[in-house]
Amino acid sequence: MEPSPFRWRDPAAIEPREWLYGHHLIRKYVSATIAPGGVGKSTLTITDAVAMASGKPLLGLKPHGALRVWLWNGEDPRDEIERRVIATCLHHDIDPDEIAGKLFIDSGRQLPIKIGELQNGKITIATPVVDALVEAIRDLGVDVLIIDPFVSVHSLPENDNGAMDAAVKAFALVADRTGCAIDLVHHSRKLNGVDADIDAARGGSAIAGAVRAARVLNVMSGEVAKTFAIAESDRRSYVRVDDAKANLAPPSAARWFKLSGEPLGNATSDRPEDFVAVAEAWTPPDKLEGIGADELLAVQKAVHEQCYREHFKANEWAGHAVGRVLGLNSRADPGQQKIKNAIKAWIASGALVIDTAKDSKGNLRPIIEVGEWADAS
């Protein structure tokens, strides 16, 4: 064995990293998608697969061209996977010809993959399975392999770091030998209301350590839903995607997607049509949407030198004056929340400021006063 000496190369001549889908999937590496159950992992990855096969940014990420994608689902039968892919195509107006020959789907019920197991108490990686994956990926020219979920492709103890490291590295070997990118979809542990992060991946920490990029999914919290005036009954349809680990690229800002139901129109005489969950990109609304400089100036005139209180529970809350100007209900959501958002944004911009004034009992109380006057038309 002889160490290899380092030789300087012109950095401009070095090939850039081969990212295929945002900063999540890169050739020759394994990535992970981590989330609690029922959040929408499979719906997201199916939409990702259709996006990459069609070359279209269905969820805001631009694929690096139209890619060949192999989606393997270890839990659902093939006909259910077909329903979900077709519903995604219908929802996003994808013509079947756009993904023909570029999207491959398989169910673990018909095509089981078992890359690792314990044999006589020893961690064993199934070399024939690794070789078969390499051969299939090469034969089809697959760019991206999605394994959903990771737990379905091994029977190793999840809490054993050595076992998990061996299983992930077996997929890393597949990625390296074929030049494809691999996404392992993995469950988080039970979080009891706490947001998932990279450390929330179920089982040994080696799973998070062995991948080069990871993202986590979290349902919108009740507090965040209030700021966007989204009803409690609807908030679970909104899911945030965060870069949890970005060893090869700067972490990206959080993205959101929304879960919707797409009808298939397949009703029969004795069964209703299927509605299938699909994912669509969602951008948080501007908290000052529909409120311009003219409205701000009217609000400033209404609160100027009136000693309106800063706290929303006060009888003389400034928000009541804002509500009258903007035609919003200041005593109940969603109007009250929009007013709170507007006041907070105006304070941050300096259009309004928090001052103090004495109340009827001579006590100093925080009030809202004009800061920098708006330059309205």
Side-chain angles (χ1 to χ4, degrees):
M1 179 183 295
E2 183 177 345
S4 302
F6 168 75
R7 291 185 177 87
W8 176 264
R9 286 198 288 163
D10 179 359
I14 299 174
E15 289 290 324
R17 291 173 177 143
E18 295 186 82
W19 293 104
L20 297 179
Y21 192 57
H23 282 156
H24 181 59
L25 295 174
I26 181 172
R27 288 194 188 279
K28 297 187 178 183
Y29 287 95
V30 178
S31 302
T33 297
I34 300 166
V39 168
K41 296 187 296 297
S42 295
T43 303
L44 172 64
T45 53
I46 286 172
T47 310
D48 288 338
V50 173
M52 288 185 282
S54 66
K56 294 185 174 180
L58 304 186
L59 293 174
L61 295 180
K62 176 66 175 174
H64 190 77
L67 306 172
R68 289 194 162 210
V69 183
W70 183 7
L71 174 66
W72 183 90
N73 185 298
E75 295 179 340
D76 294 329
R78 182 181 173 87
D79 59 353
E80 181 59 26
I81 303 170
E82 290 176 347
R83 285 188 192 95
R84 301 179 79 169
V85 170
I86 291 169
T88 298
C89 291
L90 290 173
H91 191 77
H92 291 282
D93 295 322
I94 301 297
D95 189 294
D97 290 340
E98 295 182 80
I99 60 173
K102 295 193 288 290
L103 179 60
F104 306 88
I105 62 170
D106 282 291
S107 166
R109 300 190 186 192
Q110 286 80 42
L111 182 66
I113 296 174
K114 193 67 69 175
I115 206 163
E117 60 183 350
L118 285 182
Q119 290 185 355
N120 299 320
K122 292 186 177 181
I123 299 167
T124 303
I125 297 301
T127 301
V129 175
V130 172
D131 292 341
L133 282 171
V134 169
E135 182 179 4
I137 290 169
R138 285 175 174 170
D139 287 349
L140 293 172
V142 169
D143 299 295
V144 176
L145 169 63
I146 299 172
I147 297 293
D148 180 17
F150 176 48
V151 70
S152 292
V153 293
H154 69 83
S155 54
L156 295 165
E158 280 191 332
N159 290 320
D160 185 324
N161 275 320
M164 292 300 94
D165 184 66
V168 176
K169 286 183 176 175
F171 279 105
L173 177 63
V174 173
D176 185 68
R177 288 172 61 185
T178 61
C180 78
I182 298 177
D183 192 16
L184 302 179
V185 181
H186 187 53
H187 294 287
S188 70
R189 64 178 182 271
K190 291 183 179 179
L191 299 171
N192 300 317
V194 178
D195 276 358
D197 59 17
I198 188 64
D199 297 321
R202 196 174 68 192
S205 60
I207 297 173
V211 299
R212 283 296 167 263
R215 59 185 179 178
V216 293
L217 314 184
N218 286 290
V219 167
M220 181 182 286
S221 68
E223 182 178 348
V224 172
K226 278 187 176 181
T227 68
F228 294 135
I230 292 172
E232 172 63 24
S233 58
D234 296 332
R235 71 174 177 85
R236 294 193 64 83
S237 296
Y238 297 85
V239 182
R240 193 181 74 243
V241 184
D242 294 288
D243 283 342
K245 180 178 181 179
N247 282 3
L248 301 177
S252 304
R255 297 183 296 112
W256 291 85
F257 68 90
K258 181 183 177 184
L259 297 170
S260 300
E262 181 69 24
L264 290 187
N266 60 341
T268 62
S269 59
D270 62 338
R271 296 186 188 278
E273 68 176 327
D274 292 322
F275 279 78
V276 181
V278 294
E280 60 187 41
W282 182 77
T283 302
D286 181 355
K287 294 179 181 180
L288 292 178
E289 184 178 4
I291 304 174
D294 290 337
E295 289 78 13
L296 170 56
L297 181 59
V299 166
Q300 289 177 320
K301 290 178 179 178
V303 303
H304 183 47
E305 296 183 346
Q306 297 300 311
C307 293
Y308 283 123
R309 294 277 294 278
E310 181 263 343
H311 198 278
F312 77 98
K313 289 188 177 180
N315 290 332
E316 301 83 16
W317 179 43
H320 298 315
V322 175
R324 288 191 291 272
V325 171
L326 301 181
L328 296 172
N329 183 355
S330 61
R331 300 186 184 278
D333 290 335
Q336 185 182 83
Q337 187 60 56
K338 186 165 186 176
I339 293 168
K340 289 179 184 177
N341 293 341
I343 292 174
K344 184 177 180 180
W346 287 328
I347 291 172
S349 71
L352 296 178
V353 296
I354 299 176
D355 202 346
T356 56
K358 290 183 178 180
D359 62 14
S360 58
K361 297 181 180 179
N363 297 315
L364 284 175
R365 302 293 186 189
I367 64 166
I368 297 293
E369 188 48 84
V370 176
E372 182 178 348
W373 284 92
D375 184 14
S377 57

